[in-house]
Amino acid sequence: PPREPRPPSLEPSPKDDGSGFRGSGLRKKRSWSVSDIANAVQRSVGSFADKAKSFFANKGGTDSPDAKEDEREAEEVKRIKDWNALLAKNPNRSVMSSSRVNRLCWKGIPSSVRGKAWKAIIGNDLKITPELFKINLKRGKKLWEEQVTSCKGRRVNNNGADDGESREDSMRIIQADIPRTFPQLKFFHKEGPFHAPLMEVLQSYVCYRPDVGYVQGMSYLAAILLLNMPTFDAFQCLANLLNQDIYFAFFRMDVDKMKTHLKVYQALLKEKLPNLHKHFEVIDIKPGMYLYEWLLTIFSRSLPLDIAHRIWDNFLQHGQVFLFRTALGMLKTFEPRFLKMSFEDCLSILNRPPEDIDEKTLFENIHRIQLTSKRFERMVAKFSEEAAKSADNRRRPSHIQE
């Protein structure tokens, strides 16, 4: 009798792994029942479904606004948790200067813990107490009333300094300066909730450091602090912040030290952005035309508040070197545009950067400006020594000059 045709072999071919189902176990099995096949198919289909689900959840879904928002919220919650755990231990200065805190600051400190974090990072080397604040506040209010009612005729220059050793008369320009502080927010206008606290912080500081007095730009620093912490904490942080070398020199109007920092910046600009440095020289743009405002207000007046806050986070953590990296990062961000612009157009952007500046791009460019604190300090020391030597030569008689 004719032989019955054999059923097609279910043996996987060398190029197959078992009817296309990888990892099903069919490759190794020479004979199997219907239940074996069903179980293998179920396992393979289940594995495929899991992979498909994972793909659409992790890949296809990340482009949706809701998925991105959920991811941002989850990251924010984690950062808040990390900061709360850190600050709960009342960390000292060495802990706050760790690489872990550096990473946390780079991402930006969450607004809900920013005030506490800043206070911990800045520290209180000056030992400012609530009692000291109250003493200076009481004296400041008294001086304010006297100056307003008596209209003293002592001459005050544009920087707030008077003709005597004390600069307490500079308090008279605080009232005019406050409404110009973040005018778009209106928080600091006379009817705003932060007008009185800002007056108190600045009046107290003028009495605390009458040799410094009030200088335009201070209101922005005090205002940023008040947006993140109570009045006394803002005064304590402002006093300690302005005690740093760069700000003590700048607000004391120490011309020699200001010129030194300007020379350091100029040297870094030439090194890091040589094409832009050359273009600025051709169109005659000097660093002093824009850099002082950036530094004196820690970019608070020039950049959107959210970006300015993140710059503060990193400046307080890393010191003045981060301000110079930020300045160069700003220039790098706009370099393609600057290279095609005239003097007037460049200066317009330098003095008022576009409000839609991209935060991610800016911080990527800041990151590309490689500059360590040690190298920055060496540059400052070098230019300071050269300035001192030059000044010494000018004082010597011409026949014995070097």
Side-chain angles (χ1 to χ4, degrees):
R3 300 176 68 178
E4 295 182 1
R6 294 177 64 183
S9 175
L10 293 177
E11 180 72 17
S13 68
K15 297 181 180 179
D16 198 356
D17 65 351
S19 300
F21 301 121
R22 295 180 183 272
S24 62
L26 296 181
R27 183 190 296 271
K28 299 178 181 179
K29 206 167 181 70
R30 292 284 178 180
S31 61
W32 18 264
S33 65
V34 173
S35 62
D36 289 332
I37 298 174
N39 289 334
V41 170
Q42 187 176 9
R43 286 196 302 270
S44 299
V45 171
S47 175
F48 177 80
D50 290 340
K51 290 178 180 178
K53 182 178 179 181
S54 175
F55 172 82
F56 287 109
N58 298 325
K59 298 291 183 182
T62 54
D63 290 335
S64 67
D66 290 342
K68 288 183 177 180
E69 184 63 27
D70 290 344
E71 186 179 340
R72 281 194 294 267
E73 288 180 0
E75 184 180 348
E76 181 81 357
V77 169
K78 184 181 183 306
R79 287 192 292 132
I80 293 173
K81 184 178 179 181
D82 289 342
W83 274 106
N84 280 330
L86 176 67
L87 296 172
K89 300 175 184 177
N90 294 318
N92 56 29
R93 188 68 61 83
S94 62
V95 173
M96 294 305 291
S97 61
S98 67
S99 57
R100 177 171 177 255
V101 179
N102 289 346
R103 291 193 298 271
L104 290 172
C105 287
W106 175 255
K107 295 177 181 178
I109 302 174
S111 58
S112 60
V113 297
R114 179 169 273 130
K116 292 180 180 178
W118 283 2
K119 189 177 178 184
I121 294 171
I122 294 172
N124 188 19
D125 291 341
L126 296 176
K127 302 294 188 291
I128 303 293
T129 63
E131 292 75 21
L132 179 63
F133 172 61
K134 290 177 182 177
I135 292 169
N136 284 288
L137 177 58
K138 183 177 180 180
R139 187 161 179 260
K141 287 184 174 180
K142 182 180 179 182
L143 279 173
W144 170 254
E145 291 174 1
E146 289 176 356
Q147 291 181 17
V148 170
T149 55
S150 64
C151 296
K152 291 182 179 180
R154 298 178 72 185
R155 182 164 55 86
V156 180
N157 66 30
N158 291 333
N159 295 322
D162 66 11
D163 295 327
E165 293 182 359
S166 172
R167 300 183 178 185
E168 290 180 342
D169 277 6
S170 63
M171 194 178 293
R172 290 187 294 176
I173 65 175
I174 294 176
Q175 182 68 32
D177 226 21
I178 286 181
R180 296 195 290 259
T181 305
F182 298 118
Q184 71 279 12
L185 296 180
K186 298 185 179 179
F187 289 161
F188 303 99
H189 289 194
K190 195 166 186 178
E191 65 279 3
F194 290 106
H195 181 270
L198 183 55
M199 280 285 292
E200 291 175 355
V201 169
L202 295 175
Q203 288 173 346
S204 300
Y205 183 78
V206 169
C207 290
Y208 172 68
R209 291 305 303 251
D211 56 329
V212 177
Y214 176 79
V215 180
Q216 288 181 339
M218 282 185 185
S219 63
Y220 274 88
L221 304 185
I224 283 282
L225 292 169
L226 282 168
L227 289 174
N228 293 279
M229 59 186 70
T231 307
F232 165 68
D233 291 346
F235 173 75
Q236 175 187 300
C237 288
L238 180 70
N240 282 277
L241 176 63
L242 297 186
N243 197 50
Q244 294 186 17
D245 288 342
I246 185 171
Y247 285 104
F248 192 72
F250 275 34
F251 284 115
R252 282 272 298 167
M253 295 298 158
D254 188 326
V255 176
D256 290 336
K257 289 186 177 180
M258 293 171 75
K259 286 182 178 179
T260 295
H261 283 84
L262 218 56
K263 289 178 180 178
V264 171
Y265 174 78
Q266 187 82 328
L268 289 169
L269 175 57
K270 184 177 182 179
E271 174 191 323
K272 304 294 185 181
L273 302 170
N275 293 334
L276 187 59
H277 173 266
K278 185 177 180 180
H279 179 64
F280 276 2
E281 282 196 330
V282 170
I283 62 176
D284 202 30
I285 284 187
K286 313 289 186 187
M289 296 176 178
Y290 60 91
L291 186 63
Y292 286 135
E293 181 177 298
W294 288 1
L295 298 181
L296 287 174
T297 64
I298 313 181
F299 297 90
S300 301
R301 190 167 183 259
S302 307
L303 293 173
L305 267 177
D306 54 341
I307 298 178
H309 272 99
R310 189 175 169 189
I311 289 171
W312 273 66
D313 296 340
N314 287 277
F315 155 65
L316 295 178
Q317 181 67 8
H318 298 287
Q320 58 183 331
V321 64
F322 191 80
L323 295 179
F324 284 71
R325 289 179 62 199
T326 300
L328 295 169
M330 285 265 286
L331 295 188
K332 188 173 182 62
T333 300
F334 296 107
E335 182 177 22
R337 294 167 64 177
F338 283 149
L339 293 175
K340 301 174 184 178
M341 286 182 170
S342 64
F343 171 88
E344 292 79 9
D345 292 336
C346 285
L347 200 59
S348 176
I349 291 180
L350 290 168
N351 289 329
R352 288 292 176 271
E355 293 185 2
D356 60 351
I357 182 173
D358 184 69
E359 178 180 344
K360 182 180 178 182
T361 301
L362 173 61
F363 274 83
E364 285 175 352
N365 287 325
I366 293 172
H367 181 70
R368 291 188 181 103
I369 304 296
Q370 296 298 308
L371 179 65
T372 64
S373 295
K374 287 184 178 180
R375 185 181 174 224
F376 179 81
E377 289 166 4
R378 286 197 301 268
M379 293 180 72
V380 172
K382 175 188 172 184
F383 283 105
S384 296
E385 185 179 340
E386 290 177 358
K389 187 178 293 186
S390 177
D392 188 49
N393 283 338
R394 286 195 301 269
R395 286 192 294 267
R396 294 179 182 180
S398 58
H399 67 280
I400 60 171
Q401 285 188 9
E402 293 180 3

